Amino acid sequence: MSAKKVLLSGVKPTGRPHVGNYFGAMKQFVELQDSYESRIFVANLHALTTCQDKVELERNTQDVVLDYLGIGLDPMKTTIYYQSDVPHVTELAWIFECITTMPYLMRAHAFKDAEAKNKEINIGVFNYPLLMAADILVQDADVVPVGRDQQQHIEITRDIALKFNRMYGETFKIPEPLILENVATVLGTDGQKMSKSYNNTIPLFASDDEIESAVMGIVTDSGQDIPKNVYEIHKLLKPERELQKLYAEKKGQYAELKKELIKDLKNFIGPMRARRVEWESKPEEVEKIMSEGGKKMRKVVHEKMIEVRAKVGLIHNE
Ligand code: TYM
């Protein structure tokens, strides 16, 4: 057994990941893969809450795997797997559902937002945090790198672990979120939080043309010395000291500053895009990585679930 602490996180396959996903969370997956026993999955069960198109879900799921490999996750260091290859999490989520009250879960921001938009909300959306708690707790994860929008989900996870431990005896580790303060909420081209649902993203593997049109579309208010929305994205790529000099030199020249941002984005995205294309040409190797990842994780959680079932009194035959 490795002495390293366990790191766990995932991305939902609901469309192309963007620069916000990368700087808020995915970059940490890569940077921390040497220091932790890392497990990164594709949250395809969570995606079912909003995507009920088989072909789209399959394609997005495979795309996230290529995205992971493209950003530099090394399968020799990080176990990459499909959430649906570890179906134990749905069993554990059910157990959590039975010890969690509705009023407690109704306080979740994601649920409240979804409910405000759509009254005919599905139960998966409501139960979402419990499946997430199961993902994390079944693996005895120590740390969970995420962006700010997932913080409440980690708090719910911690509450559930504490409650279960109180009811049935010490069983689950209490995980810590890893949220990087300066990139906790990356802003999009309109100055709101970058999000697929706001149409304000810069895709992480954007083509050069897409980079250009996304940057040209950044909303700027006339009369500002520094176009704030351009600067906010630019500071992800360059140290602020350098940027302040550049933005002072080109004060008020929005088009010039956008050109600089385009150049830096191309330099940043280009090599990752090339690595992704390389992996795309090796589908058998990718399939093998995923099948081995799933097998390894099933083994880990199998042991944990034997313990959990026994604790709650679920008689179970192998
Ligand atoms: P998802 O797919 O919505 O987002 C993936 C990661 O990207 C972060 N993120 C951001 N960070 C900074 N600025 C932004 N604008 C921004 N937008 C997104 C998210 O915080 C997230 O870390 N529920 C999760 C998937 C999940 C999971 C888990 C994560 C399921 N089970 C267990 C960790 C552990 C989600 O939908 O992420």
Side-chain angles (χ1 to χ4, degrees):
M1 218 23 201
S2 147
K4 285 181 178 170
K5 287 190 167 180
V6 173
L7 176 151
L8 180 100
S9 198
V11 171
K12 217 167 30 179
T14 47
R16 296 165 81 192
H18 51 70
V19 165
N21 297 128
Y22 179 75
F23 285 98
M26 296 166 82
K27 186 167 182 240
Q28 296 196 73
F29 305 171
V30 180
E31 287 174 352
L32 298 175
Q33 63 184 338
D34 285 315
S35 341
Y36 288 89
E37 146 91 53
S38 280
R39 303 167 183 176
I40 301 292
F41 64 98
V42 186
N44 56 351
L45 291 170
H46 277 108
L48 270 181
T49 58
T50 53
C51 173
Q52 284 106 27
D53 180 317
K54 164 195 150 70
V55 175
E56 190 184 327
L57 182 58
E58 284 176 351
R59 193 187 50 233
N60 285 343
T61 302
Q62 283 164 339
D63 276 350
V64 173
V65 175
L66 291 174
D67 299 337
Y68 282 158
L69 294 166
I71 60 170
L73 281 188
D74 177 350
M76 304 297 283
K77 296 177 182 165
T78 297
T79 306
I80 308 174
Y81 65 100
Y82 298 122
Q83 186 182 29
S84 56
D85 270 346
V86 184
H88 312 66
V89 292
T90 58
E91 180 187 356
L92 185 57
W94 173 256
I95 294 172
F96 291 159
E97 281 157 33
C98 297
I99 62 165
T100 306
T101 68
M102 298 243 318
Y104 173 80
L105 264 200
M106 279 162 115
R107 293 202 293 265
H109 305 311
F111 164 69
K112 283 199 283 195
D113 291 350
E115 200 194 25
K117 283 193 210 121
N118 173 15
K119 299 281 173 220
E120 293 287 310
I121 207 164
N122 67 51
I123 293 166
V125 171
F126 185 63
N127 289 354
Y128 190 108
L130 300 180
L131 182 58
M132 198 161 150
D135 292 329
I136 298 169
L137 299 179
V138 81
Q139 304 254 4
D140 278 322
D142 294 283
V143 295
V144 187
V146 284
R148 173 80 72 226
D149 62 357
Q150 297 298 315
Q151 181 170 359
Q152 193 190 32
H153 287 151
I154 311 294
E155 280 160 13
I156 293 173
T157 300
R158 290 165 59 94
D159 282 351
I160 289 167
L162 288 167
K163 183 164 188 184
F164 187 101
N165 288 352
R166 230 174 16 246
M167 290 173 71
Y168 294 109
E170 207 55 35
T171 308
F172 295 115
K173 260 194 195 161
I174 313 301
E176 294 288 340
L178 284 184
I179 298 173
L180 297 177
E181 243 353 278
N182 52 343
V183 282
T185 305
V186 172
L187 304 181
T189 53
D190 58 357
Q192 295 187 77
K193 176 191 146 188
M194 191 179 286
S195 166
K196 289 164 213 167
S197 46
Y198 298 159
N199 239 334
N200 64 356
T201 68
I202 299 180
L204 183 54
F205 294 94
S207 66
D208 284 355
D209 283 351
E210 286 173 319
I211 294 173
E212 282 169 28
S213 69
V215 172
M216 291 331 270
I218 295 178
V219 179
T220 50
D221 293 332
S222 55
Q224 287 179 316
D225 286 345
I226 289 182
K228 187 172 174 296
N229 296 340
V230 181
Y231 187 91
E232 283 296 318
I233 296 173
H234 216 158
K235 79 174 192 209
L236 301 167
L237 307 169
K238 272 218 160 101
E240 293 229 45
R241 212 161 17 90
E242 243 174 87
L243 272 193
Q244 275 162 10
K245 195 160 156 265
L246 176 73
Y247 278 66
E249 275 165 20
K250 297 190 188 290
K251 199 164 134 183
Q253 301 173 45
Y254 298 176
E256 284 303 307
L257 289 167
K258 282 186 171 178
K259 261 192 221 152
E260 291 286 334
L261 175 58
I262 288 171
K263 190 178 77 196
D264 289 335
L265 273 170
K266 284 182 181 171
N267 286 338
F268 153 67
I269 290 178
M272 290 200 303
R273 213 171 49 208
R275 188 161 43 208
R276 192 182 189 282
V277 168
E278 210 175 294
W279 277 107
E280 212 172 352
S281 69
K282 299 186 277 194
E284 276 123 41
E285 212 174 306
V286 174
E287 211 177 297
K288 189 155 167 267
I289 290 168
M290 296 312 289
S291 106
E292 281 173 3
K295 209 183 287 171
K296 187 168 158 200
M297 288 301 103
R298 274 197 299 279
K299 210 161 154 221
V300 169
V301 305
H302 178 76
E303 297 301 316
K304 190 74 191 178
M305 284 311 292
I306 289 176
E307 181 191 348
V308 171
R309 291 180 195 123
K311 287 220 163 113
V312 300
L314 289 171
I315 295 171
H316 185 81
N317 292 300
E318 280 306 312

